[in-house]
Amino acid sequence: METPNSKRNNVTSKHPTILLRTFGCQMNKLDSAIIEVSLQEAGCQFVDNAKDADVVLLNTCSVRDHAEQRVMSHLGNLKHIKESRPDLVVAVVGCMAQRLGGELFKQSAVDIVCGPAQIAEIPRLINEAFQGKKKATLVTEKIRQLSLDGQSLERFETEYGIEDGEIPGQAYVRAMHGCDKFCSYCVVPYVRGPETSRPPDAIIEQVKKLADNGVKQVTLLGQRINAYEYKAGDKTYCLADLLSRINNLDGIEWIRFVTSYPSAKYFDCILEAMANLPKVCRYLHIPAQSGSDGVLKAMNRGYTSAEYLGLLEMARRIVPDIAIAGDFIVGFPGETDDDFAQTVDLVKKARYKNSFIFKYSPRPGTIADKRLEDTIPLEVKKQRNYELLKIQEEISSELAREFIGKTVKVLVEGPSKKSHHDQGMALPQLVARTAGDWIVVFNPAQRWAGLAGQFANVKITRISPLTLFGELV
Ligand code: 5AD
Ligand code: SF4
């Protein structure tokens, strides 16, 4: 049997053991899934613990300072591990790698720095690290001039695009890279590069392959997925065209897409597609960020709160039972009590299923960081975050209550990580999601083995603000 020590003694062999930790958004989860398959194909095995690993890969996020600090603290721990195991290889991958580049070598644990556009090179970089060539940096020099046409990343993506490691039966598929919006607070355009839409044929091929492998739900990813646009000859393809083509593929049952940007272009076509195509989930994640027109302007969002609410109204007119989720940033520079009150007002009017609420975090290099002082004290940010969350919870509870007594179709994800004994739930408990992205926890009694990755019908018996509870029918 192989022991961790024998593995370590084998580091110069071709098959190192890998620990991969992923921080941040679904885009990063997708990158990690692709990296994982490519390394598995190269013969690597994955482990859950740094002590069993020859290589630690951290796939990082730069969207808020907190996410970066978590990685820094991991690097601190890895430094201690390396004191007794100098041949451990540590790679920082993803947005932080692109943002900080060679600066990351100030953290003595770091051997490899690799940006999100270079993930196709990871198997090679790891191999070289094992041949003694340590300290490699591979990031895009001028990220805003990045061109992905015909690059190895596209080939890599099509080749290795696979099922989600966490949720059986589900896969993320990138439809777009990067972002051109330059919201003043946001680091994404600087780390993920220019907005590019992948060719529709490549996406469809990939989804077909996934469906052939048993995937039932695909989630199309893009920072502004509703801006998807691909010109081929005389035809310009938009997201609605992609949805319609995927809707025709056998095996795929649910199609999702995130994240939508509040803009009118293509919005009605996309909603019509949602209303008319049976496989398209009636769910829209459409961040408002603030309800104050002054703050929205300072954020460079390009819409007013009235225009935003107009889009939600259109969404509900075309798709009456649509579930809508939002994002908000509280404590943006200069946000007054009155600005915040307008955000509260917008949340009440929008009646989101749920909202993700963040405290403003200045990001180096962004316009907001260069031009605006981070004036709102942390305590005020925390208070506003708490208040907004409370209001959202009340709305979520009201919406959740409408499900009591109803039977919903869900896609089962797997055993629940949290115990829900407080809800009177017996074991085992499975977690699932509705097409509208409501989380459902249910007790499947004896029939639970093999349900992960399957559709099921659950009768809802009770609720908490963010979760529906019920029994398998
Ligand atoms: N500070 C706080 N939240 C941020 N977000 C993006 N940039 C920042 C920042 N600098 C939030 C936005 C976005 C979500 C992914 O993260 O709400 O929609
Ligand atoms: Fe960031 Fe704005 Fe682009 Fe979203 S749309 S990724 S918030 S710059």
Side-chain angles (χ1 to χ4, degrees), residues 25 62-65 183-188 223 259 285 287-289 299 301 326-330 332 356-363 366 368:
C25 65
S62 284
V63 85
R64 280 171 291 278
D65 185 54
C183 300
S184 64
Y185 51 81
C186 184
V187 78
V188 170
Q223 307 294 344
T259 301
H285 179 202
Q289 311 297 3
M299 287 177 163
R301 290 291 285 180
D327 285 4
F328 288 90
I329 296 176
V330 293
F332 188 79
F356 302 94
I357 302 167
F358 306 100
K359 297 182 277 295
Y360 173 67
S361 165
R363 303 315 295 133
T366 60

Side-chain angles (χ1 to χ4, degrees), residues 22-34 59-60 95 116 119 157 172-179 188 192 196 220-225 258-259:
T22 308
F23 301 81
C25 65
Q26 284 137 330
M27 231 10 137
N28 267 14
K29 284 191 188 156
L30 170 59
D31 285 344
S32 283
I34 300 175
N59 189 5
T60 60
C95 296
I119 54 172
E157 182 113 39
Y172 294 117
V173 173
R174 194 173 350 246
M176 299 174 79
H177 292 272
C179 185
V188 170
R192 289 265 173 190
T196 339
L220 298 175
L221 295 185
Q223 307 294 344
R224 298 198 305 141
I225 189 69
V258 285
T259 301

